[in-house]
């Protein structure tokens, strides 16, 4: 396999991963109702620390924060799959603050931070190697 093929597989995998995570947050009846409820329970803890709540603009409910994050995940995942190179770059750069904030938030609430760290590292590697 050529080197470019590895980057393509990584980009497509990341795109499908973010789309599936986003769809689980948005449409539990189509994905996994149990996982949706599990995520909603986690977002009850995370909502007070959403970016808009931290700066004092708007304090979303857990459900609103989860829906907003789900929409963001789906949009970024689609951009990674079918976007032009500049759109993919914008998608990956916009993922950085989300993933950087997810790591300490998970650690603070004693949740597993490994998935967020892995996604963050993969995004950084893709940006560093400029393979988008």
């Amino acid at each position: 396999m050529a080197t470019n093929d590895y980057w393509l597989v990584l980009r497509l995998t990341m795109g499908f991963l973010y789309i599936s995570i986003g769809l689980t947050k948005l449409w539990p009846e189509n994905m996994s109702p149990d996982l949706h409820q599990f995520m909603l329970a986690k977002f009850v803890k995370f909502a007070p620390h959403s970016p808009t709540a931290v700066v004092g603009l708007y304090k979303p409910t857990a459900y609103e924060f989860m829906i907003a994050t789900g929409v963001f995940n789906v949009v970024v995942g689609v951009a990674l799959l079918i976007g032009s190179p500049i759109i993919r770059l914008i998608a990956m750069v916009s993922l950085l603050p989300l993933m950087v904030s997810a790591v300490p938030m998970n650690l603070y609430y004693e949740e597993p931070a490994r998935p967020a760290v892995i996604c963050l590292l993969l995004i950084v590697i893709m940006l560093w190697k400029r393979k988008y």
Side-chain angles (χ1 to χ4, degrees):
M1 219 195 246
T3 304
N4 288 336
D5 293 341
Y6 292 119
W7 294 110
L8 176 66
V9 168
L10 177 60
R11 181 174 59 84
L12 295 177
T13 302
M14 294 290 287
F16 282 119
L17 174 72
Y18 279 104
I19 289 172
S20 66
I21 291 170
L23 290 178
T24 303
K25 293 174 185 172
L26 295 173
W27 290 289
E29 62 275 359
N30 294 338
M31 301 298 278
S32 170
D34 294 334
L35 182 58
H36 179 80
Q37 288 302 319
F38 175 78
M39 286 183 178
L40 187 57
K42 301 301 176 192
F43 273 89
V44 168
K45 293 191 266 184
F46 298 156
H49 304 289
S50 72
T52 57
V54 169
V55 295
L57 294 175
Y58 176 71
K59 186 176 179 183
T61 66
Y63 186 73
E64 292 170 339
F65 188 44
M66 187 172 74
I67 293 298
T69 307
V71 169
F72 180 76
N73 286 344
V74 170
V75 169
V76 168
V78 169
L80 287 174
L81 287 179
I82 61 174
S84 66
I86 190 70
I87 298 296
R88 291 192 301 255
L89 173 64
I90 292 168
M92 283 188 279
V93 169
S94 67
L95 275 172
L96 286 176
L98 177 73
M99 300 314 297
V100 166
S101 64
V103 172
M105 193 177 298
N106 283 329
L107 291 173
Y108 178 77
Y109 287 111
E110 297 177 357
E111 299 291 335
R114 192 173 301 142
V117 170
I118 291 170
C119 289
L120 177 62
L121 288 175
L122 290 174
I123 293 165
V124 168
I125 289 169
M126 288 173 67
L127 286 169
W128 179 49
K129 289 292 189 177
R130 302 209 190 276
K131 298 294 182 179
Y132 39 82

